[in-house]
Amino acid sequence: SANIICRDVLAPPGKLQIIIRSTKDGPAILHVKPGSVLNGQIFAGDLIVSVNDIDTRTFDAEGVMKLMAKSSNVERKITVLHAV
């Protein structure tokens, strides 16, 4: 069975070039575009559990995108669950 690790990823200001989708477990990373600043730090399938310590597990993908866009001019802390 997979081990789940919880990780904080610091996202710099600006566009992140990630695609988020809604899942039954909460918002998840669908795709990290080539050239994204988060390449190698965040991965497809990662669940986004919080953004800047705001619990996002009950959010849909659009809600998370709006939350991130609101603070796109500053660094954001994205907490993800990652299966290894």
Side-chain angles (χ1 to χ4, degrees), residues 31-71:
H31 181 61
V32 182
K33 294 179 182 172
S36 166
V37 288
L38 297 180
N39 234 320
Q41 296 181 68
I42 214 167
F43 303 92
D46 286 2
L47 278 179
I48 302 169
V49 290
S50 72
V51 175
N52 293 337
D53 297 317
I54 297 166
D55 189 336
T56 55
R57 287 173 294 188
T58 59
F59 284 40
D60 61 7
E62 195 183 353
V64 173
M65 304 273 260
K66 280 186 176 146
L67 185 60
M68 286 195 203
K70 244 189 264 184
S71 55

Side-chain angles (χ1 to χ4, degrees), residues 18-41:
I18 55 176
I19 298 169
I20 300 168
R21 70 183 181 108
S22 305
T23 75
K24 63 175 172 47
D25 300 314
I29 303 293
L30 178 65
H31 181 61
V32 182
K33 294 179 182 172
S36 166
V37 288
L38 297 180
N39 234 320
Q41 296 181 68

